[in-house]
Amino acid sequence: MTSPSSHPSTASDPHEHGHLSRSLTHRQMAMIAMGSALGTGLFLGSGDAIAVAGPAVIISFAIGSAIAMTIALAMGEMASRHPVQGGFGTLAARYLSPFWGYLVRWLYWIVTVGVTAAELYACSLYLQFWAPDLPQWAGVAILGAIVVAINVVSVKSFGTIEFWLSSIKVIAVVVFILVGLCLVFFGLPGTPAAGVSNWTNDGGFMPFGFKGVWVSMALVMFSFGGIEMLSISAAEAKDPARSIRTAAQSTVIRLSFFYVVAIGIIVALVPWKEASGAAGDVRLSPFVMVFHELGIPAAAGLTNLIVVITALSAANANVYAGSRFLHSLAADSLAPQMLERTTRRGIPLPGIIVHACGILVVVVLAMTGIGGLFPLIMSTVIFSAVIVWVLILVTYVVYHRTRDGRELFRMPGGVVTAIAGIAGLLFVFSTVIAVERMQLAAMVGIPFVLLVTLAYVLVFRHRISVEAIDASFAEAEKARADFS
């Protein structure tokens, strides 16, 4: 273990080993979480899930929503009590062990790189709607440069931009739901109500049985990646306790409603075989088909703009999260110390640069023309994210034993709910035995886990600064007390 005097955070230069800036409001925090979680999993990935489960994909999204709600509320309770930098990673280091805090943060960094890559790759596909000759690698590179630039300016600017980007897509989904419900139950002049007959046509509600629901979970859970922003952004919240409580409660309700209702509308208005065949093609997207029902000539272009904003917002949020995790790892002496440095505005610039290298990898892969890149990225993200989510809930179980009554809110059901969430995640993880993409993801994920574990044993185990972890908790307690 390092001594307090030997840890770099005690250096005199605050920008060389600086602190993050507390500049985010509770509205911005809620929208950051929404911005990351409400991404192409709904617009681009839902077609794949429908193809696997049919109309029963509604059940898949309902199960996914319940699991996501458990994770978000558990994180919200812990983060409102301890708004530490590194979020749930630092909490795992304190309540489980430094190793688990180390592993969960590196795994989640892989998640953020994968999600950033997936969203930018999706964006490049959608840009080809307007510029069919634009190479995918060029689209990824251009949009990647934009999100990196947004993150470099300042935390306040990032929060403002992400708030408005997320607001646009939330409004778009609300409009879609309102229009869709009208078409399903009331119809329009000259267009009768569609009803829900498509839920049982073409083989019934469960054309592939419960196995379809089970297998589709490997795709559905990708849609909920990003709820972790509630915990990660706590270290940069103006009023951490109040902001996290508000953001956690509003985010889980909105996401659950948006996903379940939107998917239900899609498979009600569009035969599921037709909707599944539209995966990845915005011109044939179920969302576009709904707007076409209204006779809007520019439906495809309008929806294309919305999904570009959706993907760009999610990529933007994940660059933010990935750079913060690298910063927190370095602060705890579990990553190269240069990653702890911040600019005068409290921006972890080295972490953003390292994260951008992940974008470059995607650019190179896109240049090679590798097929099936998006589904493989999705599967790799889910493989890593499920492990992260399980560790978050295990951390909550241990944390629950030490609660001191100063939490602003508590997850209903406490440990029982957390254990139910863990069981649900293991249900998702079990798809690795049946889903080829998940097997490929395991071939990437397992070696990575072994590699970072080996690095911990050989290098970082001897550098752990328990004092730095304690200092993070002390700083968070002070920030929390300042607003109580």
Side-chain angles (χ1 to χ4, degrees), residues 211-471:
K211 181 180 179 181
V213 174
W214 171 55
V215 173
S216 69
M217 293 303 300
L219 301 167
V220 166
M221 289 309 296
F222 177 83
S223 303
F224 296 98
I227 53 174
E228 309 84 4
M229 295 297 173
L230 291 169
S231 176
I232 298 167
S233 57
E236 293 173 271
K238 286 183 177 180
D239 182 352
R242 174 173 173 265
S243 297
I244 294 164
R245 177 189 60 187
T246 304
Q249 293 171 339
S250 62
T251 298
V252 294
I253 294 173
R254 291 174 185 172
L255 280 179
S256 299
F257 177 79
F258 286 167
Y259 274 111
V260 176
V261 175
I263 290 297
I265 290 172
I266 288 173
V267 292
L269 293 176
V270 184
W272 70 266
K273 290 184 178 179
E274 188 176 342
S276 65
D281 189 341
V282 71
R283 292 164 294 184
L284 301 175
S285 167
F287 288 86
V288 178
M289 293 176 184
V290 171
F291 285 112
H292 268 308
E293 291 288 337
L294 289 174
I296 300 177
L302 175 63
T303 306
N304 198 62
L305 176 62
I306 291 170
V307 294
V308 166
I309 292 173
T310 295
L312 195 64
S313 169
N316 187 40
N318 276 277
V319 170
Y320 167 86
S323 62
R324 268 56 182 182
F325 261 51
L326 291 175
H327 177 273
S328 73
L329 281 163
D332 293 346
S333 300
L334 297 174
Q337 293 301 305
M338 63 168 289
L339 295 175
E340 191 185 359
R341 297 179 181 178
T342 61
T343 66
R344 293 184 180 277
R345 294 184 176 182
I347 302 296
L349 182 59
I352 293 175
I353 293 173
V354 171
H355 195 87
C357 291
I359 299 175
L360 291 177
V361 172
V362 180
V363 173
V364 172
L365 290 175
M367 289 177 64
T368 63
I370 295 176
L373 182 61
F374 182 78
L376 180 58
I377 293 174
M378 283 179 63
S379 300
T380 303
V381 166
I382 288 302
F383 182 87
S384 302
V386 168
I387 298 175
V388 169
W389 291 336
V390 168
L391 288 173
I392 289 173
L393 293 178
V394 171
T395 302
Y396 176 82
V397 171
V398 177
Y399 155 84
H400 195 273
R401 300 173 184 170
T402 65
R403 294 196 309 183
D404 56 11
R406 288 189 285 173
E407 299 82 10
L408 283 179
F409 76 99
R410 296 186 176 185
M411 179 171 67
V415 171
V416 174
T417 303
I419 292 174
I422 293 171
L425 290 169
L426 295 178
F427 172 72
V428 175
F429 194 80
S430 66
T431 60
V432 73
I433 65 177
V435 181
E436 183 179 356
R437 293 174 184 171
M438 287 293 285
Q439 293 167 1
L440 291 174
M443 292 174 63
V444 175
I446 292 175
F448 177 78
V449 171
L450 295 175
L451 180 63
V452 295
T453 299
L454 181 63
Y456 177 85
V457 172
L458 297 180
V459 180
F460 295 113
R461 180 168 59 91
H462 308 292
R463 299 182 181 180
I464 295 172
S465 175
V466 174
E467 292 82 5
I469 297 174
D470 291 340

Side-chain angles (χ1 to χ4, degrees), residues 18-30 32-33 79-80 82-88 90 108 150-160 162 228-244 247 316-328 339-349 351-352 472 475-480 483:
H19 296 288
L20 301 176
S21 172
R22 290 191 177 273
S23 306
L24 299 176
T25 67
H26 68 276
R27 289 195 311 162
Q28 290 173 335
M29 288 182 65
I32 288 171
S80 66
H82 302 298
V84 294
Q85 70 176 29
F88 55 83
T90 304
Y108 192 71
I150 290 173
N151 276 269
V152 164
V153 177
S154 72
V155 176
K156 184 176 181 179
S157 297
F158 162 81
T160 300
E162 186 59 29
E228 309 84 4
M229 295 297 173
L230 291 169
S231 176
I232 298 167
S233 57
E236 293 173 271
K238 286 183 177 180
D239 182 352
R242 174 173 173 265
S243 297
I244 294 164
N316 187 40
N318 276 277
V319 170
Y320 167 86
S323 62
R324 268 56 182 182
F325 261 51
L326 291 175
H327 177 273
S328 73
L339 295 175
E340 191 185 359
R341 297 179 181 178
T342 61
T343 66
R344 293 184 180 277
R345 294 184 176 182
I347 302 296
L349 182 59
I352 293 175
S472 294
E475 181 184 350
E477 181 64 29
K478 181 180 183 300
R480 187 179 187 275
F483 291 93

